[in-house]
């Protein structure tokens, strides 16, 4: 049995490179600065200065600011949302948020435009970035293989595997998917990963 996930300690960071509506600037002022080229849209109502490196932490913070504070510690950015945070997918139209089975998913519905997925999370499945809980790179890749259709999964998986700093190895990813409990699309996921293995071999 996988032990229940221990939620990493969430710290609400101040990231000076990120601009969002506050007492200093309203959203309309930020939009005006973006139109003038002073700021660049990042995600939601968040903006970054031109020339600033857009990091995992910066994207995670922008995502966190779209999630109501009262539920922020109960949800985990996952699947293609996590892949975007890691710089391996396009910005999501709606956040894909994982909810550990110990939380009631019904109490979180209607809080923000997002897709909620009730899952079981292990101790190593979650990291904290920029004040947002995010699925680990390996868990992200496994979830994409299992739950995202092949046409969208393959490009994200290739990018995740090519980012050496994320530490994902294809063989380890295949083992993680094989070890997952019986879920729909598991055979399809293994076929997708087999295709990636064939690409590596050529």
């Amino acid at each position: 049995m996988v032990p229940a996930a221990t939620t990493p300690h969430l710290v609400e960071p101040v990231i000076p490179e990120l601009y969002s509506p506050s007492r200093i600037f309203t959203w309309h002022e930020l939009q005006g600065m973006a139109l003038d080229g002073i700021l660049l849209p990042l995600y939601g109502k968040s903006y970054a200065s031109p020339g600033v490196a857009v990091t995992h932490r910066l994207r995670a913070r922008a995502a966190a600011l779209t999630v109501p504070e009262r539920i922020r510690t109960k949800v985990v950015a996952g699947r293609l949302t996590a892949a975007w945070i890691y710089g391996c997918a396009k910005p999501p139209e709606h956040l894909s948020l994982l909810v550990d089975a110990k939380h009631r998913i019904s109490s979180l519905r209607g809080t923000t435009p997002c897709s909620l997925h009730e899952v079981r999370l292990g101790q190593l499945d979650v990291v904290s970035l920029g004040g947002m809980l995010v699925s680990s790179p390996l868990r992200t890749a496994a979830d994409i293989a299992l739950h995202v259709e092949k046409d969208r999964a393959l490009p994200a998986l290739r990018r995740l595997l090519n980012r050496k700093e994320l530490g994902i190895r294809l063989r380890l990813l295949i083992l993680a998917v094989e070890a997952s409990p019986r879920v729909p699309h598991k055979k399809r996921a293994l076929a997708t990963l087999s295709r990636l293995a064939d690409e590596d071999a050529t």
Side-chain angles (χ1 to χ4, degrees):
M1 178 181 290
V2 177
T6 302
T7 302
H9 181 60
L10 264 187
V11 177
E12 296 292 333
V14 175
I15 303 178
E17 313 94 287
L18 187 73
Y19 295 84
S20 58
S22 64
R23 287 175 295 178
I24 300 172
F25 296 115
T26 66
W27 187 31
H28 294 297
E29 288 171 328
L30 293 172
Q31 287 176 305
M33 286 189 275
L35 287 172
D36 291 337
I38 299 168
L39 295 176
L40 296 175
L42 184 57
Y43 190 73
K45 296 182 179 180
S46 295
Y47 298 80
S49 302
V52 164
V54 179
T55 61
H56 306 165
R57 185 167 173 260
L58 207 60
R59 291 189 198 93
R61 187 64 190 149
L65 291 173
T66 69
V67 178
E69 193 174 348
R70 68 180 182 82
I71 70 162
R72 211 171 283 162
T73 59
K74 298 186 177 80
V75 297
V76 177
R79 302 184 184 182
L80 288 175
T81 296
W84 165 69
I85 287 171
Y86 293 125
C88 298
K90 295 177 182 177
E93 288 185 21
H94 299 298
L95 296 180
S96 182
L97 301 177
L98 311 180
V99 183
D100 193 85
K102 66 177 177 287
H103 295 300
R104 286 180 54 206
I105 198 168
S106 59
S107 65
L108 306 178
R109 292 195 187 281
T111 53
T112 189
C114 65
S115 301
L116 289 169
H117 311 280
E118 187 172 314
V119 299
R120 292 194 179 277
L121 294 167
Q123 290 179 319
L124 301 178
D125 287 339
V126 179
V127 298
S128 177
L129 284 171
M132 182 83 199
L133 298 175
V134 183
S135 59
S136 69
L138 181 60
R139 175 64 190 250
T140 297
D143 281 347
I144 289 172
L146 285 163
H147 302 293
V148 177
E149 62 274 16
K150 186 174 70 174
D151 288 348
R152 291 198 302 153
L154 275 170
L157 288 170
R158 287 189 188 105
R159 293 188 190 104
L160 285 163
L161 288 163
N162 286 335
R163 292 287 179 93
K164 300 303 180 188
E165 71 274 15
L166 296 179
I168 309 170
R169 300 290 176 267
L170 182 55
R171 182 61 191 146
L172 188 61
L173 176 55
I174 292 170
L175 289 172
V177 171
E178 286 176 342
S180 62
R182 261 204 293 183
V183 291
H185 313 305
K186 184 172 178 178
K187 189 179 291 187
R188 183 197 68 187
L190 290 171
T192 298
L193 297 179
S194 177
R195 176 171 167 177
L196 291 174
D198 290 342
E199 290 176 2
D200 273 357
T202 57

